[in-house]
Amino acid sequence: MSNMNKAVVIGAGIAGLITARMLSEYYQEVYIVERDELPTAPANRQGTPQSFHPHRVLPRGHMILERYFPGYTNDLLDHGAQASYAEETKLVNRFGTFVSRPPFLSASSSRALLEWVLRRRVQNIQHVHFLTNTEVTGLISSEDRQTITGIYTKKRNEKKQEGMLTADMVIDTAGRSSKVIKWLTSLGHTVPDPEVLKVSLGYSTQYYKIPPQAREQWRSVISEAQPAKGISTGMLLRIENNIALTLLFSAGGEHYPPTKPDEFQAELKYLNASEIAKTVSHLEPLQGPRGYRTPESVRQHFEKMETWPSGLLVLGDAFCNFDPIYGQGMTVAAIEAETVGNCLEEQKRNPQPYFERHVLHQMQEAIDPAWWLSSIADLRWKGVEHVGPPLKGITFVQKYIDLFTKKAMELAANGNSRFYLTQTLMTSLVLPPSKFFNAEILTMILDDNGSPEEKKLRAELGVQDPKLFQQRIDELIPSFDAAFDERLKDFLMSLKQQ
Ligand SMILES: Cc1cc2nc3c(=O)[nH]c(=O)nc-3n(C[C@H](O)[C@H](O)[C@H](O)COP(=O)(O)OP(=O)(O)OC[C@H]3O[C@@H](n4cnc5c(N)ncnc54)[C@H](O)[C@@H]3O)c2cc1C
């Protein structure tokens, strides 16, 4: 850390852009090396095939993006993004229906517009340089292979010129197609098996134009899945320029959402929310349906390696990728970049050896709740399997959420959505799970009405005396409190004041 001259970021996806912006506060020069030619206007590109599909920013990600890119939400709105806080969202699940509005300023856009808005901000930082059309092909290391000192590159043109770029820090944000494991292995490091969620998930997305007469009364719809019955998740969202996106999702590999228009339309009718099929029948179909499938979500555990070279970090999808249906990927990338920033700040004040290993540990702690929550949700689908250190509390948590959701939906339908908001803030990674799974809430949801959901939860709990509830919850569920910091309290206060 003595020399903070030059940092290199591999990949100009969402993780790469946030990382480059964060690094610009600490390094004299930051290079962001991207294999694609980057479009000058919002457009999908080859290197990020997921961009076709809806990309939502969770409230925690929104907070971090506003920290590094103040006013980015207004930039999005200025470029036609939908002011989603100004429109209703209807949530439908097996317990009922309720309609709400996001309690803070937010904008719904395509991934291409979000990336373009953030990229323009980074391109305007004088000491951040973009090398596009340039593929990173390897890591340069010191002779003892314990320090990464740069990258090898190859131009993606006919001449395919090869090059080198030295750096004091290289951060790989190359996404799911990252080659970092291969590069580390070729340098003689032994990389442990990652934690894997064998999820076999499928997406299918269709675009529509919303005609003028449908724009005023428009509302988004989220139709939650019912994995036990094989019912898919469905979403109907509006993005910039009055484009609507419909998404179908399922996991487990038994069924993948169709990509033929008539089959896609037919499956919409089986969702918990029949409104989606009805609404889209009045819209003008544009592109799609287009599918996306992936067999697994992968969480690397580099912190467990015996040797980790200094001068190298990995974050974003290359470090840990998620089932996208919970909208966590970009938010987790933001959390990781912020974690690196906090560690650089600490390091500046109080330099310590093994900086990179410390960062890897901190990032693991920071992403733990996201991995746990989405894995537990996916394990409801038949055929999904978790490979790695056992996840704690799976069946208790699934039953707790069922009972909670039932109660929260009843209350929300009667005008009290505060209870439901607690759950939303947890799944948005703003509230730690301990604010949701605790004796106080458990006592509220176990009200002796003898429903099947209540009996199942009591059986999992195994204690009757409410005085023992907290102790039992602490045994069943890990504490994730270290993943949340004080700044989140300010965000919560701002919600309470609204
Ligand atoms: C279908 C789908 C829907 C999703 N929906 C959401 C959502 O709603 N909300 C959400 O938060 N997240 C969502 N995600 C996840 C989200 O796309 C990622 O988590 C997020 O973009 C962070 O990714 P990244 O920057 O690490 O990788 P990417 O965005 O994939 O970017 C990687 C970049 O690295 C470049 N690259 C790769 N290899 C090299 C190389 N060797 N040299 C140079 N450049 C290289 C690529 O061209 C690319 O630009 C979704 C994902 C999928 C698959």
Side-chain angles (χ1 to χ4, degrees), residues 336-357:
E336 290 161 354
E338 190 181 48
T339 304
V340 178
N342 293 342
C343 292
L344 283 166
E345 198 59 45
E346 225 176 88
Q347 189 71 358
K348 215 165 66 176
R349 285 196 304 268
N350 181 19
Q352 295 290 326
Y354 309 113
F355 168 75
E356 291 78 1
R357 189 177 283 279

Side-chain angles (χ1 to χ4, degrees), residues 26-45:
Y26 299 95
Y27 287 84
Q28 287 164 16
E29 302 293 333
V30 178
Y31 286 81
I32 182 161
V33 187
E34 166 59 49
R35 64 185 173 186
D36 278 357
E37 201 55 82
L38 293 169
T40 49
N44 290 335
R45 58 191 175 84

Side-chain angles (χ1 to χ4, degrees), residues 10-16 33-36 45 47-48 50 53-57 111 115 134-137 173-179 183 203 292 315-318 324 327-331 333:
I10 307 175
I14 298 290
V33 187
E34 166 59 49
R35 64 185 173 186
D36 278 357
R45 58 191 175 84
T48 53
Q50 73 271 36
H53 301 277
H55 270 65
R56 299 173 297 144
V57 180
R111 148 91 187 225
E115 198 177 292
T134 306
E135 181 158 7
V136 178
T137 52
T173 66
R176 286 181 185 244
S177 63
S178 161
K179 304 271 186 315
W183 298 336
Y203 256 60
Y292 180 94
L315 61 80
D317 281 11
Q328 295 172 317
M330 298 188 293
T331 291

